[in-house]
C-alpha cells in the first residue's frame, strides 16, 4: 500500500486529504464498513492463492503453444503483477543496443516500447472478468507478444465491431501486439 501511495504522490494524484495507507484506501472505497478490504482492495494489494493465479507468463519457442521454454504463474498484487509482466516481456523480446550515449553507457531499446507492454497488461488486469478464476495470460512468441484477458465482449458487441472501430475497444478481448520477425522483414 505504501508503494501505491508513493506512486500516487509522485504522479500528483494524492493531494488533499489523508495520505496514509488507511486514509487513501478509504478515499478509494477499498475499505468496507467493517474495516476489512473490499474485493478491489484485496486484488490490488494482497497475494492470491497460487491455485488461483492472477497471471500466467509464457515464453514460447515458436509461434504456437507447442514448445514452451518458460511458464510462470503469479498471484501477486496488481502493481507487482504489472511490473513483473513488463519485465518478463521486455527481457524476452529483441532489443537494439545504442552505443555512444553520454557516460559511455549503452542504451537498450526494446522492439516493443515498454509503455505499450505496460498499457496492454494494465488493461488486461483492470478490465478482466473477476467472476472467473481464469488468469490473464502474457505470452511471448517468436514473432509476437499476446496479452489475453479472461472474459467476453459486452453484450451486443463483437470482436469485429471493436477491430473496425464500431465500438469502444474492450480490454476483455484478446490483445495482441505484433512485431515483425527479422525473417519476414
Amino acid at each position: 500500500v505504501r508503494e501505491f501511495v508513493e506512486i500516487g504522490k509522485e504522479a500528483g494524484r494524492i493531494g488533499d486529504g489523508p495520505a496514509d495507507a488507511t486514509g487513501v484506501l478509504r478515499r478509494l472505497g477499498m475499505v468496507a464498513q467493517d474495516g476489512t478490504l473490499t474485493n478491489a482492495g484485496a486484488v490490488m494489494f494482497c497475494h492470491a492463492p497460487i491455485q488461483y493465479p492472477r497471471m500466467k507468463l509464457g515464453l514460447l519457442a515458436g509461434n504456437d503453444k507447442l514448445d514452451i521454454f518458460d511458464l510462470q504463474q503469479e498471484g501477486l498484487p496488481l502493481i507487482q503483477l504489472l511490473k513483473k509482466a513488463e519485465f518478463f516481456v521486455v527481457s524476452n523480446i529483441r532489443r537494439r543496443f545504442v552505443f555512444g550515449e553520454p557516460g559511455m553507457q549503452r542504451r537498450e531499446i526494446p522492439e516493443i516500447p515498454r509503455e505499450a507492454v505496460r498499457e496492454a497488461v494494465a488493461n488486461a488486469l483492470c478490465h478482466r472478468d473477476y467472476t472467473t478464476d481464469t488468469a490473464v495470460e502474457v505470452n511471448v512468441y517468436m514473432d509476437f507478444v499476446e496479452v489475453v484477458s479472461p472474459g467476453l465482449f459486452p453484450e451486443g458487441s463483437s470482436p469485429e465491431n471493436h477491430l473496425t472501430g464500431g465500438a469502444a475497444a474492450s480490454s476483455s478481448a484478446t490483445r495482441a501486439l505484433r512485431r515483425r520477425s527479422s525473417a519476414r522483414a
Side-chain angles (χ1 to χ4, degrees):
V1 175
R2 276 186 230 118
E3 180 183 12
F4 176 78
V5 170
E6 288 306 313
I7 291 170
K9 283 180 182 178
E10 287 173 17
R13 292 189 183 124
I14 297 180
D16 297 338
D20 63 291
T22 304
V24 170
L25 290 174
R26 287 194 189 285
R27 283 194 352 231
L28 293 171
M30 292 188 178
V31 178
Q33 287 184 350
D34 66 0
T36 61
L37 285 176
T38 62
N39 289 340
V43 168
M44 187 76 180
F45 300 111
C46 299
H47 289 262
I50 198 60
Q51 64 267 30
Y52 304 112
R54 292 188 177 136
M55 183 176 290
K56 293 180 182 178
L57 303 166
L59 177 60
L60 295 302
N63 288 328
D64 55 38
K65 289 186 178 180
L66 295 177
D67 293 316
I68 301 171
F69 284 145
D70 189 15
L71 179 62
Q72 300 175 22
Q73 298 188 49
E74 301 292 344
L76 301 169
L78 250 53
I79 292 174
Q80 291 176 24
L81 277 179
L82 185 58
K83 288 179 179 181
K84 177 101 179 181
E86 179 184 343
F87 180 80
F88 183 84
V89 171
V90 172
S91 297
N92 287 296
I93 61 174
R94 292 180 290 262
R95 49 199 167 276
R96 183 169 52 99
F97 298 102
V98 178
F99 296 93
E101 297 290 322
M104 301 297 291
Q105 298 290 324
R106 75 175 187 204
R107 190 167 47 112
E108 294 185 20
I109 302 172
E111 189 172 26
I112 300 171
R114 287 180 178 273
E115 296 80 10
V117 172
R118 190 178 312 121
E119 180 69 17
V121 174
N123 281 334
L125 288 168
C126 291
H127 298 288
R128 64 159 291 169
D129 180 354
Y130 279 96
T131 63
T132 177
D133 290 333
T134 306
V136 168
E137 290 185 32
V138 178
N139 296 308
V140 179
Y141 294 88
M142 181 184 300
D143 294 331
F144 64 98
V145 172
E146 174 186 59
V147 178
V148 180
S149 182
L152 303 172
F153 276 91
E155 193 172 322
S157 190
S158 69
E160 294 76 20
N161 223 9
H162 286 262
L163 291 173
T164 61
S170 170
S171 295
S172 298
T174 299
R175 302 271 191 221
L177 300 172
R178 298 263 177 208
R179 38 180 236 233
R180 287 183 178 244
S181 162
S182 58
R184 293 183 189 167

